[in-house]
């Protein structure tokens, strides 16, 4: 793989081109489908730039909560199992904070313009 352009630069460039050069030229259902495609490219760009760091933070929180090491998938399965069995609940130190941080990280990637997400960001900052 070449060093430049990066996948982030590529997806961002295509989304910007479609948004600024193509979107003004079309209307109706085709414009709607174009907006969907642009949103997908924007989502992929956010995934490429944010998910790795978010996943690493989530793994560290899960390790602290569960007291074991493992992959993100395995740790989340174990967390879900322990919650389902009643071994962990919102009274468990750190669980509510972990769930909140994980939710906010996922919204930053999936729905960064979601009104409730923006409101909560302003409270945290």
């Amino acid at each position: 793989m070449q060093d430049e352009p990066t996948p982030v630069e590529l997806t961002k460039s295509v989304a910007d081109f479609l948004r600024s050069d193509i979107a003004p030229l079309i209307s109706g259902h085709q414009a709607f489908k174009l907006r969907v495609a642009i949103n997908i490219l924007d989502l992929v760009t956010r995934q490429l730039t944010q998910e790795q760091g978010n996943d690493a933070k989530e793994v560290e929180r899960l390790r602290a909560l569960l007291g074991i090491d493992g992959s993100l998938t395995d740790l989340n399965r174990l967390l879900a199992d322990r919650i389902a069995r009643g071994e962990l609940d919102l009274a468990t130190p750190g669980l509510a904070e972990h769930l909140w941080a994980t939710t906010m990280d996922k919204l930053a990637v999936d729905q960064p313009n979601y009104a409730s997400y923006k409101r909560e960001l302003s409270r945290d900052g």
Side-chain angles (χ1 to χ4, degrees), residues 13 22 120:
S13 177
I22 304 301
E120 292 305 318

Side-chain angles (χ1 to χ4, degrees), residues 18 35 42 68-69 79 97 103 112 124:
L18 293 173
R35 284 193 308 274
D42 289 341
I68 65 165
D69 195 8
L79 177 67
E97 294 81 4
T103 299
D124 292 341

Side-chain angles (χ1 to χ4, degrees), residues 36-114:
V36 169
I38 292 168
N39 287 340
I40 290 168
L41 289 167
D42 289 341
L43 173 63
V44 169
T45 300
R46 289 189 304 272
Q47 287 175 331
L48 290 168
T49 59
Q50 297 176 35
E51 272 191 344
Q52 187 174 9
N54 291 349
D55 287 354
K57 292 185 293 185
E58 185 177 357
V59 166
E60 287 306 311
R61 289 191 307 268
L62 287 165
R63 287 176 180 159
L65 269 171
L66 301 171
I68 65 165
D69 195 8
S71 71
L72 179 59
T73 300
D74 291 341
L75 292 170
N76 270 312
R77 280 191 187 123
L78 180 58
L79 177 67
D81 289 344
R82 288 187 181 176
I83 291 171
R85 289 193 307 260
E87 296 172 16
L88 299 175
D89 60 27
L90 290 177
T92 302
L95 180 59
E97 294 81 4
H98 164 71
L99 296 173
W100 185 254
T102 301
T103 299
M104 293 299 285
D105 286 348
K106 290 187 184 305
L107 285 172
V109 172
D110 294 338
Q111 296 292 326
N113 294 316
Y114 185 53

